[in-house]
Amino acid sequence: MTAHDLPDLEAFEDCFVNNADLERVSGYLNRFNPIRVMRMEHMEIRHSAILAWLLDPMETHGFDDRFLRAFLSQALRRQGARHEPTALDVAQADLRDAEIRREKHNIDLFVASPGNGWAFVIENKFHSKQHNGQLKRYLDYAKNEARDAGLTLKHRGVFLTLHEEDPDENVGDDYVSLRYEDVCNILDAIVTDGNAKVAPEVRQFINHYLEIIKDAVGMNEEQIKMEALAKQLYRTHKKVLNFVMEHGAVTEFTMAAESLFGSDLGYGDEVEVGGARYVYSWNSDYQYSFMPASWYNSLSRADGADLWDGCKNWWAGYPLICWFQLYEDDDGVKGRMRLFAEVGPLSNYEHRKRLIKGIKKAAEKAKLGDVQFRADAEKEGARYSKFLKSTANSIPISDVSDLEVIEQGMRRLLKKFEPVFDAVAQSLPRFVKFVEDGDE
């Protein structure tokens, strides 16, 4: 950003002081919704729990079997008359005997109406994608269970999705598709029906749930208005907002890393964590790179001789680096923290091979099973070679929005791999000497 692009004080005041449009957007983003407060809006299993409650005719919502019939009949529309039951069959049926099960043998939702001789396997995909063969496996299990129990039921599968996705082709036409958009329309119709007797607390909860779904599928009219307003705000205050995004944006990951390593670090700054010393390199919203100080001290002593050709624009500019990276699960709540260590793209093949051999030898001497290179790491032409064993360098994160949980995960991985850091450090002086003068 050039000096010409820097916003002045007046521009900041215009954007942030008594700006009614900004306050409208802020109020919308901070509206109360208990599902969002509990961070459940992206959790597929929570959506399944709410749907199970709505589908159950005996539950406390007071809908009887109205939602169940509407849900299933909407899914069965357009399937053709050769399949049973049809949408008309379900819409006119009495489903008050329906039994609803959740998460039995990994089936998200199972509906059985013995009186009608029907059963439905419902696979719920709010954000995640279907796994190969899972739809057929779930339907086969349900059919076999009914047969073993001596029940004669006609089974249908319902594939409920947030996004446009067809059921696995291996299930043929055993499954029908239903969108969360349809769920919105069904619930809207029920809660706005003047003849429906819906308790105020039930109506309020469903409105909260409808808000979550409408946000996810893009049906929320208020959200659409706020998005248009946000675009107008950006156009009007582009210089200020670009500056804020470039210099002020933080995530829970970056805050956790700063809590652990320290804030306002510059390249090459040395810090202490848990009694060990590390040198900061660089970070983004989801990656944080560094080197153990012992590595940095060995490699930087040879700096200036252009010995690390090929690595000049790679991470810290040396042939070794470590970094943390946070991965979110499909539910948007849980995730995994991984610690990587990698040999980089040294142009000199003999030097690169010597570095890898030295790390391997040091790890073997220290009996460290968590060091593992790919089989082709020493081949000519190889450029990037990670060497922390993939089954050991990862730990689960229970909540990717909790900076304390993230920081604790980083601490655990650093402590776990201290012996590896030490072993690699012991191999580096000999490697540097070899690079400098070719001596053993």
Side-chain angles (χ1 to χ4, degrees):
M1 180 174 286
T2 66
H4 176 73
D5 294 323
L6 291 174
D8 57 21
L9 177 61
E10 184 178 340
F12 275 99
E13 289 177 343
D14 289 343
C15 183
F16 295 113
V17 178
N18 298 325
N19 187 329
D21 289 340
L22 187 63
E23 290 175 4
R24 282 183 62 197
V25 173
S26 178
Y28 173 76
L29 293 174
N30 290 295
R31 66 201 187 281
F32 173 73
N33 187 309
I35 299 172
R36 190 177 289 111
V37 168
M38 292 183 286
R39 297 171 178 166
M40 294 179 178
E41 68 267 35
H42 301 299
M43 298 175 67
E44 200 169 87
I45 193 170
R46 302 307 180 200
H47 285 274
S48 293
I50 294 172
L51 289 171
W53 176 70
L54 291 168
L55 291 167
D56 194 336
M58 303 303 293
E59 268 294 357
T60 54
H61 44 65
F63 300 156
D64 204 44
D65 65 346
R66 183 176 175 182
F67 179 78
L68 175 60
R69 284 186 288 111
F71 180 96
L72 293 175
S73 59
Q74 181 64 29
L76 296 171
R77 291 181 66 180
R78 309 286 189 268
Q79 68 167 346
R82 67 189 182 91
H83 293 288
E84 294 183 2
T86 66
L88 282 175
D89 292 335
V90 172
Q92 298 171 356
D94 183 345
L95 294 180
R96 287 176 293 178
D97 71 330
E99 300 173 5
I100 314 297
R101 296 194 318 228
R102 276 202 316 121
E103 299 298 331
K104 183 172 182 180
H105 292 275
N106 295 319
I107 296 174
D108 291 330
L109 294 160
F110 179 77
V111 179
S113 175
N116 291 286
W118 302 332
F120 300 89
V121 172
I122 302 172
E123 178 61 16
N124 175 29
K125 294 296 183 188
F126 193 75
H127 279 303
S128 62
K129 299 292 185 181
Q130 59 189 305
H131 304 296
N132 186 35
Q134 71 175 149
L135 299 184
K136 184 178 186 304
R137 185 168 66 252
Y138 296 160
L139 197 59
D140 288 345
Y141 171 81
K143 290 178 179 179
N144 292 336
E145 184 184 45
R147 185 197 61 220
D148 294 343
L151 299 174
T152 302
L153 299 173
K154 293 176 181 177
H155 288 76
R156 295 293 280 145
V158 178
F159 186 54
L160 175 62
T161 64
L162 178 63
H163 306 290
E164 289 285 357
E165 184 182 2
D166 294 325
D168 190 317
E169 62 182 13
N170 292 327
V171 301
D173 53 7
D174 287 338
Y175 274 78
V176 291
S177 294
L178 185 68
R179 297 283 306 281
Y180 265 94
E181 181 179 343
D182 298 313
V183 174
C184 277
N185 292 330
I186 292 167
L187 280 175
D188 254 338
I190 291 175
V191 297
T192 58
D193 184 352
N195 297 319
K197 296 181 179 179
V198 183
E201 59 271 23
V202 172
R203 185 184 301 275
Q204 185 178 39
F205 175 78
I206 290 176
N207 283 333
H208 285 311
Y209 186 53
L210 279 170
E211 181 182 274
I212 295 296
I213 303 177
K214 286 180 178 180
D215 281 354
V217 299
M219 293 175 62
N220 192 325
E221 293 183 4
E222 185 67 14
Q223 181 185 30
I224 294 171
K225 292 178 183 177
M226 289 299 106
E227 288 175 354
L229 182 57
K231 290 176 182 176
Q232 181 58 50
L233 274 168
Y234 179 73
R235 286 191 290 268
T236 305
H237 304 283
K238 183 176 181 180
K239 187 179 290 187
V240 169
L241 295 175
N242 281 345
F243 184 86
V244 170
M245 286 186 288
E246 181 177 350
H247 299 282
V250 294
T251 64
E252 284 79 4
F253 174 80
T254 56
M255 287 190 290
E258 288 182 354
S259 177
L260 180 63
F261 289 97
S263 58
D264 299 323
L265 297 178
Y267 168 75
D269 285 349
E270 188 172 318
V271 299
E272 182 176 325
V273 178
R277 303 200 66 81
Y278 302 95
V279 173
Y280 171 76
S281 171
W282 171 88
N283 74 276
S284 68
D285 290 347
Y286 62 96
Q287 291 179 323
Y288 193 97
S289 65
F290 63 94
M291 273 194 288
S294 54
W295 298 10
Y296 180 84
N297 291 337
S298 290
L299 296 172
S300 63
R301 288 194 185 99
D303 207 1
D306 198 23
L307 299 174
W308 314 130
D309 188 34
C311 299
K312 181 178 180 181
N313 297 315
W314 182 73
W315 293 103
Y318 296 101
L320 282 172
I321 195 65
C322 296
W323 76 93
F324 284 115
Q325 187 158 338
L326 181 64
Y327 296 85
E328 288 188 12
D329 289 349
D330 290 334
D331 63 12
V333 177
K334 297 186 292 295
R336 300 198 73 81
M337 178 67 68
R338 299 193 68 184
L339 173 62
F340 295 98
E342 188 172 58
V343 173
L346 267 175
S347 298
N348 188 303
Y349 166 62
E350 291 299 328
H351 292 173
R352 191 175 191 279
K353 182 170 69 171
R354 180 60 177 246
L355 176 57
I356 292 173
K357 284 183 175 294
I359 293 173
K360 285 182 176 180
K361 185 176 180 180
E364 290 171 3
K365 183 178 179 181
K367 299 180 180 179
L368 298 175
D370 290 339
V371 172
Q372 187 177 74
F373 283 92
R374 286 169 52 101
D376 59 356
E378 294 180 39
K379 290 184 178 179
E380 193 162 5
R383 289 171 55 80
Y384 307 102
S385 302
K386 298 181 180 70
F387 59 87
L388 298 185
K389 194 173 181 179
S390 60
T391 55
N393 73 336
S394 172
I395 61 172
I397 300 296
S398 60
D399 187 345
V400 295
S401 64
D402 189 326
L403 67 90
E404 291 184 1
V405 173
I406 296 171
E407 180 185 349
Q408 185 59 34
M410 291 178 172
R411 286 187 182 276
R412 286 172 55 192
L413 284 170
L414 286 178
K415 189 67 177 177
K416 178 178 181 179
F417 283 94
E418 273 185 15
V420 173
F421 297 156
D422 292 342
V424 173
Q426 292 174 20
S427 73
L428 291 180
R430 178 172 292 185
F431 164 69
V432 170
K433 183 173 177 58
F434 174 81
V435 171
E436 289 177 327
D437 55 26
D439 292 339
E440 292 292 329

